[in-house]
Amino acid sequence: MKKLVLFMHVSLDGYASDSNGGLDWIPYNEELEKYAEEVVSEVGSPVYGRTTYQMMESHWPTVLEDPNASRHDMEHAKWVQDVEKIVISGTMDKAEWNNTMLIKDKIAEEIKALKEQPGKNLVIFGSPGAAKTLLELGLIDEFLLTICPVVLGSGKSVFGDGVEKIRLKLLSSRTLKSGIIATRYGVEK
């Protein structure tokens, strides 16, 4: 059975983006890129909310046409183009990007059915709005959080109002040279 895993960069005070929706506070470097590659290697299907999906859809296909793209970016662009993607959105009418499944309603039933299929895990990339919905539905099995060494003071939080207490068990952690703490937590059931 597949797990639904949330992979998200968060500030020390728990924000997934700054107050302008920006992510420039994440110290993204080669070491974090390699860690992200490890995460991607366990992904059967990436799961996105509408905003993240549209951002990915507008960016990654253009990389395939860019002769100056790095090896890493080109490999990731090929992977994300071909992999089965899942977008959770109540406002989209259709998802046109190659191999994309749109879940508009009956989210719990659809995700539970996907989790019962064989294969690699479903991994939510960022997407704080969709992640919060999936948290509230009790569907997330693991959390992969990269805790960045920054306090934002405000921004978009996944773990704010409406989320019930969830007990977690630390499965692994490591500190990157940039000061990021990469953690994996399992949900205690």
Side-chain angles (χ1 to χ4, degrees), residues 10-15 18 25 147-155:
V10 295
S11 65
L12 186 61
D13 52 344
Y15 294 104
D18 65 25
W25 49 271
I147 303 166
C148 298
V150 62
V151 174
L152 295 176
S154 65

Side-chain angles (χ1 to χ4, degrees), residues 43-48 79-80 83-87 122-125:
V43 177
S45 292
V47 179
Y48 306 113
W79 173 79
V80 79
V83 72
E84 181 183 4
K85 296 164 281 296
I86 299 161
V87 60
L122 307 171
V123 178
I124 309 157
F125 284 89

Side-chain angles (χ1 to χ4, degrees), residues 18-178:
D18 65 25
S19 57
N20 297 317
L23 302 173
D24 62 348
W25 49 271
I26 300 168
Y28 202 84
N29 59 24
E30 188 175 321
E31 187 181 28
L32 185 56
E33 185 177 280
K34 287 189 185 311
Y35 177 74
E37 286 174 1
E38 291 173 30
V39 172
V40 168
S41 73
E42 68 180 60
V43 177
S45 292
V47 179
Y48 306 113
R50 179 191 51 81
T51 302
T52 303
Y53 171 79
Q54 290 174 335
M55 182 177 65
M56 297 292 192
E57 179 186 34
S58 69
H59 174 71
W60 288 109
T62 67
V63 172
L64 294 171
E65 308 296 323
D66 182 359
N68 299 316
S70 70
R71 176 196 61 80
H72 166 78
D73 284 357
M74 187 60 74
E75 287 175 5
H76 188 76
K78 288 176 184 173
W79 173 79
V80 79
Q81 179 69 17
D82 295 335
V83 72
E84 181 183 4
K85 296 164 281 296
I86 299 161
V87 60
I88 297 171
S89 173
T91 59
M92 289 176 60
D93 292 322
K94 59 184 175 178
E96 296 184 5
W97 193 12
N98 187 45
N99 294 331
T100 301
M101 172 186 184
L102 173 62
I103 299 176
K104 287 182 65 80
D105 42 40
K106 297 186 180 178
I107 296 169
E109 294 86 349
E110 295 277 357
I111 294 294
K112 286 177 184 176
L114 289 168
K115 286 169 68 171
E116 290 175 3
Q117 296 175 3
K120 293 181 176 182
N121 291 333
L122 307 171
V123 178
I124 309 157
F125 284 89
S127 305
K132 187 170 183 179
T133 297
L134 294 164
L135 270 171
E136 290 170 354
L137 292 170
L139 296 170
I140 297 178
D141 302 297
E142 287 186 2
F143 296 83
L144 283 172
L145 303 175
T146 57
I147 303 166
C148 298
V150 62
V151 174
L152 295 176
S154 65
K156 187 156 192 170
S157 173
V158 176
F159 308 109
D161 294 339
V163 175
E164 301 274 329
K165 177 170 46 177
I166 303 168
R167 294 206 181 272
L168 305 174
K169 178 182 180 182
L170 180 64
L171 302 175
S172 67
S173 71
R174 71 181 193 222
T175 304
L176 307 184
K177 291 176 187 169
S178 63

